[in-house]
Each structure stands twice: as structure tokens, then as C-alpha cells.
Amino acid sequence: MTAQAQRTVLTYGTFDLFHPGHVQLLKRARALGTRLVVGLSTDEFNALKGKKSVMCYEDRKAVLEACRYVDEVFAEDDWDQKVADAIRTGADVFVMGDDWLGKFDFMGEHCQVVYLARTPEVSSTEIKQRMRDERTALTLV
Ligand code: C2G
């Protein structure tokens, strides 16, 4: 593909317990361009975000790299790396789920900013809660 036809999409996340909400986000993001690069939160950055993922960074990275919609995965370990990442990757579009609506509008100076509707009723938190409920039910029998 000639260089001028390349259209790079950039997004970020933890992508713990990879689920259909993540897939739908990545699928729609990829459809906005010809290449999707993902900043994957490191375990240390998750601690800064107040999140603890079930899967470590290396495992979450392996899963993302296996996703048909993802072309490249790099480490996200700082809130302030996005502009540099957009410049480094030549991002044309920055995408996040709309739970982040407005939070990254500053990226509009460097690329198009798109917030996509979150997929309802699925989240890593909900999956973890379902597993806890299952375990509780089993201990009660
Ligand atoms: N997402 C979604 N639908 C869901 C769950 C998540 O569309 N049911 C989207 C989120 O909006 C986000 C992406 O999937 O755009 C990844 O979600 P998380 O792994 O929860 O990422 P988050 O903790 O929001 O990290 O600097 C930005 C942060 O790294 C974003």
C-alpha cells in the first residue's frame, strides 16, 4: 500500500479479560483507518489508574497482538505520552470509548478525535463479579 494511503488509528486501554466490548471497540477503531496501534496500560500504570488487572501486561499484550484488528501494541505507562505517541505513530485518528468523552479533546491538535459508544453490559469488572458470585454459590452447596 502506498504511504499516502496509510491511515493510522491510535487507541489505549488495559484490555484485561479480553471481552466482546474490547473486540467491538477495536473492530470499529480499525475500520476508521488502515492500521490500528494500541497503547496497552502496563501493570504499573494500572496501579496509577487505580486498577489491578487479573492478567499481567505480557499476557494482555499477547492476546491483543492475536486480535485481527490490532497491528501494533506498545506500552502505555504515563498519562502524558499520548501526544508523543500520536506523533511517533503518525496517528490520523485517536479513538476511545465514550466513557472518556471529552477527556482527550486536546489530541484534536494532532489528529481527529473519535469517541465510540461503549458496548453495554460487559466489562472486565462485571466478569470478575460473575466469577466471585459463582465461587460463592459453589461454596454454599
Ligand atoms: N470499552 C468498550 N465497551 C466496554 C468496555 C470497554 O467500548 N464494554 C472500551 C473502553 O471505552 C476503552 C477500551 O474499550 O476505550 C479499553 O477499555 P479498558 O481496558 O477498560 O481501558 P481503560 O481502563 O479505559 O484505559 O489512557 C487511557 C486508558 O489507558 C484507558
Side-chain angles (χ1 to χ4, degrees):
M1 182 171 288
T2 57
Q4 62 270 23
Q6 181 87 276
R7 187 167 164 78
T8 297
V9 182
L10 172 65
T11 191
Y12 292 81
T14 300
F15 295 102
D16 189 29
L17 301 177
F18 202 55
H19 57 64
H22 295 141
V23 173
Q24 287 307 315
L25 187 285
L26 295 169
K27 180 176 183 177
R28 287 175 294 162
R30 177 63 176 75
L32 295 173
T34 58
R35 175 171 91 111
L36 175 61
V37 294
V38 182
L40 180 63
S41 307
T42 60
D43 299 329
E44 297 75 14
F45 184 53
N46 273 335
L48 284 179
K49 291 198 289 189
K51 286 180 103 165
K52 173 140 180 42
S53 60
V54 172
M55 297 163 67
C56 68
Y57 174 79
E58 292 69 23
D59 289 353
R60 291 181 284 115
K61 186 170 191 277
V63 171
L64 264 192
E65 286 176 336
C67 176
R68 64 169 48 184
Y69 304 116
V70 174
D71 296 284
E72 182 189 321
V73 181
F74 61 90
E76 176 193 28
D77 44 29
D78 187 292
W79 282 114
D80 301 323
Q81 68 182 77
K82 292 184 175 66
V83 170
D85 290 343
I87 294 165
R88 174 173 53 78
T89 61
D92 301 284
V93 191
F94 172 83
V95 172
M96 289 302 294
D98 62 4
D99 45 319
W100 292 94
L101 187 65
K103 298 287 191 309
F104 300 114
D105 290 356
F106 64 87
M107 292 293 283
E109 288 176 43
H110 303 276
C111 53
Q112 183 189 358
V113 176
V114 175
Y115 297 101
L116 297 172
R118 269 177 75 92
T119 302
E121 289 154 35
V122 62
S123 68
S124 309
T125 306
E126 184 267 337
I127 293 170
K128 284 188 269 191
Q129 186 52 51
R130 226 188 301 161
M131 290 166 75
R132 277 193 286 271
D133 294 348
E134 284 286 307
R135 194 168 54 231
T136 307
L138 283 173
T139 53
L140 295 177
V141 296

